[in-house]
Amino acid sequence: MHSNLWIFIWRRKLSFLLVVSGLVLLGLWTWAILIDTTTASQPPAASSSSERQQQQQQSSGYQQVHIIQKLIAQANRVLRAERLKDNAIEKSPSPVQRLGNVRFLRPTQAKKAPLPMSESYLFEQERLKILEQQQRQKNAGMEELNANGEDDRMLSSAERQTQYEHDLQRMGVPVVAGIGPDGPKAPTERLVHLDLKGAPPKLGFLKQLLPMLRALGATGLLIEYEDMFPYSGVLQPLAARNAYKEDELKDFLECAAVHGLTVMPLVQTFGHMEYVLKLSGFEQLRELSVSPQSICPSKPQSTALLEQMITQVIELHLQCLGQATPASAAPTAPIRFTHIHIGCDEVQRMGECSSCRQRLRSELFLSHVVSLAHFIRRQWPQLGVVIWDDQLRSMSLSELQQSQIGNYVEPMVWVYASDIYRFIQPQLWDTYAKVFAGAWTASSYKGAFGESLMVPPLQQHLENNIRWLAVIAKEGGRFSKGLRGLALTGWQRYDHFAVLCELLPVGIPSLMTSLSTVSKGYFSTNPKDNELLRVLQCAIQPDSRRSGHPWLELNPNAHHSQLFAVCNYPGHMIYKYVLRLFDKLAEIGLYLQQTRDESAWLSDYNVRHNFSSPLRVRELTARSPMLIEELRMMAREAQQLLWEVYDEYTVTEFVEQHIYPKIEALQRQLARAESLLQRRTWPQRPFPLVSKVQEDMGLVTNQQPQ
């Protein structure tokens, strides 16, 4: 009997649930109507009591709506679950189920009948009331939302900037106030400086860099030829023996034009004239006979020489435009040539010869610059003239205005340190703006933090470029024509007589990181937005949120980021090789310091007195032959890798500058050790005094020195 009852209940479970739900809803609805009727029939009371009643009615109304919403949602969930369950049962292949000893036969499923009209009407009325209440609430809060919309957007921007600065700190990228996704625009012109003096890259390698530079936002090249320009005629001695040929240089300039890059040649015309004044036949033009650094501006022969140099450089570039004086075939891709840079920085010896001593240094400099600029503007009026600004910084506003230098040139303001305002104060910006209609700026990507560095400190160069973005945004409005752009300089030598600093292939990660930053106006922390990874063809692009590490990590005590060790760009093998060489040279330097300066058995004192322990000497020098062989292998590897970019002279200079000194030091160490190992007997202490040591130190003793 009980089993039949359970079977009947199980088969009619959905009907029971619907009936129970309908009764509950009907009861609640009746209760709500009774409460409303009772409240309406009560007489009006005092004003204070009526306000309390209204508040109570409103609160009770909200409670009723909330309860009805919950009940309707619950009923809908129950109905939906039952229908899904019935659909699943219909698709089940097994028509028979067992529960204990009771055998259940599934009844034939019929289509669900629609709800009764009364219940359907009840649900619809309640749903309409709820929707009306929600719409009233939404309309009431619309004005408040509109009033707070602007504040929300401002808060969102501040939050984005905070998150951006947090990401920069995780990466080790310098944070500069005001620079970010919502900050100022990028400089209009972004020039990449190619310093060719003394270590000329093969033009085929430079051609490979052009599309990369353009893709990361470069607009032009600032090319400093020095002795690599193919001077001809009476100026032929100025060209180095490995200078570029005229035809291949024209081909490179046209290739730059194909990639949409302007060209601004740089010819030094005052200081840094060593490559000219060192030569026999030109030494009489020096400011001082003992120094070929600067030319004497008071000699007419100096002006004639400089005008010839400028003419040859400009004419070659105009031939690539099809506008040169001699007839020439039109180039396949005319270059954009709008400015020439005439240097004039770091004039160390000025106003010291007998002719120049009669005039003020500022007058000498300004008259020399104006004379050359006037020559250029008279011959080629379409060209603008640019000079470095450092010699102008100490001059007064009246001196600059009286010379009318602002009508002839535009200064390129250069600072490579992080604190730009330390060198260019706001009052100096104001002076420049009163003299010049426009100006240029210059940062660095290599060759600025050490005369003989092998790897550029990427973080310091990046900070210098980011800080220039802030300065350009702040000071550009002072000039009537604004600040025209930023040149990223990369020096190959500090001057003509200096040894090599960072090679161009080793500086590419620093160049590309800084270039992408100044082109965008800020450093993009999102690897999908930053073109750096795509252009450098980096194989690994880690997701910082999943791995816990940012995709770029810069350490202030390191020269590089591990990111660039997994990239595949022109010269990447040289970059990776130089990193290994840097670590090996540091290891050997520490080894030599420990064995000679910190050891008690192989010091200068031991060698001077030929007194040491053979066992200790052999132990200290055991690694030296192996290290010498490793350096020789790295020298051969350097020859193979650097040959793709440089000629044999530059390769030999690099090896001789960095590797050979360590080989010599290890060989000297072995020779010292060999002399100590020759001895089989040793004298008693104290040792005889060495006369040379006593004389050099100025020591006086009673004992007669040897």
Side-chain angles (χ1 to χ4, degrees):
M1 180 67 181
H2 291 289
S3 61
N4 293 334
L5 179 61
W6 282 111
I7 292 172
F8 177 79
I9 294 174
W10 177 259
R11 291 179 178 177
R12 299 291 185 271
K13 58 182 181 300
L14 183 59
S15 300
F16 277 110
L17 288 173
L18 291 175
V19 171
V20 172
S21 299
L23 292 175
V24 171
L25 292 175
L26 183 60
L28 289 172
W29 177 250
T30 305
W31 174 63
I33 293 174
L34 291 175
I35 291 177
D36 291 339
T37 305
T38 304
T39 304
S41 62
Q42 290 181 355
S47 60
S48 59
S49 61
S50 63
E51 291 178 357
R52 285 195 299 269
Q53 289 177 359
Q54 290 177 1
Q55 293 177 358
Q56 292 175 359
Q57 290 174 5
Q58 291 178 358
S59 62
S60 62
Y62 285 128
Q63 292 176 358
Q64 295 168 14
V65 170
H66 179 70
I67 293 172
I68 294 173
Q69 285 179 331
K70 290 289 186 181
L71 290 173
I72 292 176
Q74 183 66 26
N76 288 334
R77 281 196 295 269
V78 172
L79 291 173
R80 192 180 303 110
E82 289 299 328
R83 288 178 180 175
L84 291 175
K85 187 174 180 181
D86 291 340
N87 292 336
I89 292 173
E90 288 179 359
K91 297 178 181 179
S92 176
S94 176
V96 180
Q97 291 186 351
R98 292 183 179 275
L99 181 62
N101 296 325
V102 181
R103 187 169 180 266
F104 290 95
L105 295 178
R106 186 161 312 279
T108 303
Q109 297 292 330
K111 292 184 179 180
K112 296 292 181 182
L115 291 175
M117 181 60 67
S118 59
E119 296 183 7
S120 176
Y121 177 76
L122 177 64
F123 278 99
E124 184 65 21
Q125 289 294 323
E126 296 301 328
R127 188 179 68 83
L128 290 175
K129 287 187 177 182
I130 293 171
L131 290 176
E132 290 177 0
Q133 182 70 19
Q134 291 176 348
Q135 187 63 35
R136 283 195 297 269
Q137 293 176 355
K138 183 184 294 184
N139 294 336
M142 187 60 66
E143 295 182 0
E144 183 179 358
L145 290 175
N146 293 334
N148 296 332
E150 185 65 26
D151 294 337
D152 292 341
R153 284 191 290 272
M154 293 177 62
L155 180 62
S156 177
S157 177
E159 289 176 348
R160 285 199 305 271
Q161 182 67 17
T162 301
Q163 181 62 41
Y164 172 74
E165 294 179 357
H166 174 70
D167 293 341
L168 291 181
Q169 292 174 350
R170 291 181 64 241
M171 293 181 173
V173 178
V175 178
V176 177
I179 300 300
D182 300 325
K185 295 181 179 180
T188 305
E189 298 289 338
R190 284 90 58 185
L191 306 181
V192 175
H193 174 235
L194 298 178
D195 183 16
L196 307 177
K197 55 177 175 282
K202 295 179 179 179
L203 292 178
F205 173 76
L206 293 180
K207 287 181 180 179
Q208 297 179 57
L209 297 184
L210 296 179
M212 299 172 58
L213 298 177
R214 187 56 180 165
L216 289 178
T219 61
L221 303 176
L222 175 62
I223 306 178
E224 184 167 358
Y225 295 103
E226 205 190 56
D227 57 354
M228 295 311 300
F229 187 82
Y231 290 106
S232 59
V234 295
L235 301 182
Q236 193 277 332
L238 275 57
R241 292 194 298 270
N242 59 341
Y244 296 123
K245 302 295 187 295
E246 183 176 333
D247 292 340
E248 61 182 3
L249 185 56
K250 289 180 181 179
D251 180 66
F252 170 73
L253 295 175
E254 292 179 5
C255 186
V258 169
H259 290 92
L261 298 171
T262 64
V263 175
M264 182 189 295
L266 192 157
V267 183
Q268 289 287 1
T269 56
F270 209 157
H272 291 296
M273 292 290 295
E274 299 95 340
Y275 73 104
V276 177
L277 302 179
K278 72 177 182 179
L279 301 172
S280 175
F282 297 92
E283 71 275 11
Q284 72 276 6
L285 301 180
R286 301 173 185 172
E287 177 70 16
L288 290 180
S289 60
V290 296
S291 173
Q293 200 274 340
S294 57
I295 197 168
C296 176
S298 300
K299 296 178 180 178
Q301 301 92 327
S302 299
T303 303
L305 171 67
L306 296 174
E307 289 179 354
Q308 289 179 349
M309 294 170 56
I310 292 172
T311 298
Q312 289 198 16
V313 171
I314 292 179
E315 288 294 324
L316 185 139
H317 288 76
L318 288 180
Q319 288 179 24
C320 298
L321 273 171
Q323 298 178 4
T325 301
S328 60
T332 56
I335 67 170
R336 289 188 292 162
F337 175 33
T338 60
H339 290 77
I340 182 171
H341 200 307
I342 59 173
C344 300
D345 63 315
E346 297 179 334
V347 187
Q348 297 174 355
R349 312 304 295 265
M350 181 171 54
E352 299 185 22
C353 73
S354 57
S355 301
C356 297
R357 203 176 299 134
Q358 310 301 322
R359 305 167 63 187
L360 295 175
R361 288 170 56 91
S362 59
E363 180 188 352
L364 280 171
F365 182 84
L366 293 172
S367 61
H368 179 72
V369 171
V370 169
S371 175
L372 291 176
H374 179 69
F375 166 76
I376 296 172
R377 298 297 297 273
R378 185 178 67 251
Q379 297 292 328
W380 304 279
Q382 75 275 22
L383 295 180
V385 182
V386 180
I387 64 169
W388 298 115
D389 85 296
D390 54 288
Q391 296 296 316
L392 305 175
R393 297 175 188 176
S394 59
M395 299 182 188
S396 65
L397 175 61
S398 60
E399 289 176 326
L400 295 173
Q401 289 178 334
Q402 289 175 6
S403 68
Q404 297 185 350
I405 190 173
N407 297 330
Y408 293 94
V409 303
E410 291 178 336
M412 183 172 280
V413 186
W414 62 276
V415 176
Y416 304 148
S418 59
D419 188 2
I420 296 174
Y421 282 107
R422 176 187 172 190
F423 300 92
I424 313 293
Q425 294 82 10
Q427 57 268 28
L428 184 56
W429 284 110
D430 187 60
T431 299
Y432 283 170
K434 292 178 180 177
V435 177
F436 304 99
W440 300 73
T441 58
S443 61
S444 67
Y445 67 88
K446 78 179 188 73
F449 294 103
E451 297 92 342
S452 59
L453 287 182
M454 294 176 59
V455 185
L458 194 152
Q459 187 188 49
Q460 292 177 258
H461 289 287
L462 181 58
E463 180 176 5
N464 173 244
N465 281 275
I466 295 177
R467 293 196 178 276
W468 263 120
L469 291 175
V471 172
I472 292 172
K474 183 177 181 180
E475 307 296 343
R478 295 178 183 265
F479 298 85
S480 60
K481 294 184 179 179
L483 291 174
R484 295 186 179 274
L486 178 69
L488 287 77
T489 63
W491 303 99
Q492 191 56 77
R493 304 178 191 272
Y494 273 41
D495 63 34
H496 185 78
F497 290 108
V499 297
L500 297 170
C501 50
E502 308 98 311
L503 297 176
L504 178 58
V506 185
I508 286 179
S510 177
L511 167 61
M512 299 304 178
T513 304
S514 294
L515 177 60
S516 64
T517 300
V518 300
S519 300
K520 204 174 186 67
Y522 64 96
F523 180 86
S524 178
T525 58
N526 187 349
K528 295 181 179 180
D529 293 339
N530 199 316
E531 292 292 316
L532 190 65
L533 297 174
R534 181 186 63 81
V535 173
L536 294 183
Q537 302 180 35
C538 299
I540 298 177
Q541 300 182 20
D543 185 349
S544 60
R545 290 177 175 81
R546 294 182 179 179
S547 64
H549 298 283
W551 59 273
L552 177 67
E553 292 183 280
L554 300 179
N555 190 324
N557 298 321
H559 290 287
H560 63 283
S561 169
Q562 293 296 329
L563 167 71
F564 304 108
V566 293
C567 299
N568 185 23
Y569 54 87
H572 72 282
M573 294 299 296
I574 298 176
Y575 173 79
K576 298 170 186 175
Y577 164 78
V578 171
L579 292 183
R580 289 190 290 109
L581 178 62
F582 178 85
D583 292 338
K584 178 57 66 176
L585 295 179
E587 174 191 345
I588 294 175
L590 180 61
Y591 167 72
L592 290 171
Q593 179 184 357
Q594 292 174 343
T595 56
R596 177 172 178 171
D597 300 334
E598 301 176 9
S599 167
W601 296 277
L602 202 57
S603 66
D604 292 341
Y605 183 86
N606 297 113
V607 174
R608 190 178 303 114
H609 294 278
N610 198 13
F611 188 85
S612 188
S613 168
L615 292 178
R616 293 289 190 176
V617 170
R618 289 191 178 93
E619 179 182 344
L620 288 171
T621 59
R623 293 183 58 202
S624 296
M626 178 186 66
L627 293 175
I628 291 175
E629 185 58 31
E630 288 182 9
L631 287 178
R632 287 173 175 167
M633 292 177 60
M634 297 198 78
R636 292 191 290 269
E637 185 179 1
Q639 187 178 35
Q640 295 175 354
L641 293 175
L642 293 177
W643 178 250
E644 298 179 1
V645 180
Y646 297 103
D647 57 21
E648 58 182 339
Y649 304 106
T650 303
V651 174
T652 302
E653 181 181 0
F654 178 84
V655 172
E656 188 176 346
Q657 176 183 341
H658 295 289
I659 300 178
Y660 186 63
K662 287 295 188 288
I663 293 178
E664 280 190 316
L666 291 169
Q667 290 175 338
R668 285 194 300 269
Q669 182 208 60
L670 289 177
R672 289 154 60 97
E674 186 63 26
S675 66
L676 291 174
L677 293 174
Q678 296 299 319
R679 195 161 195 170
R680 294 294 179 266
T681 60
W682 294 267
Q684 293 177 318
R685 291 183 184 274
F687 302 139
L689 299 179
V690 180
S691 59
K692 186 177 186 308
V693 174
Q694 300 297 313
E695 293 174 1
D696 291 345
M697 300 296 293
L699 300 177
V700 179
T701 63
N702 296 327
Q703 183 178 351
Q704 183 67 27
Q706 292 184 350

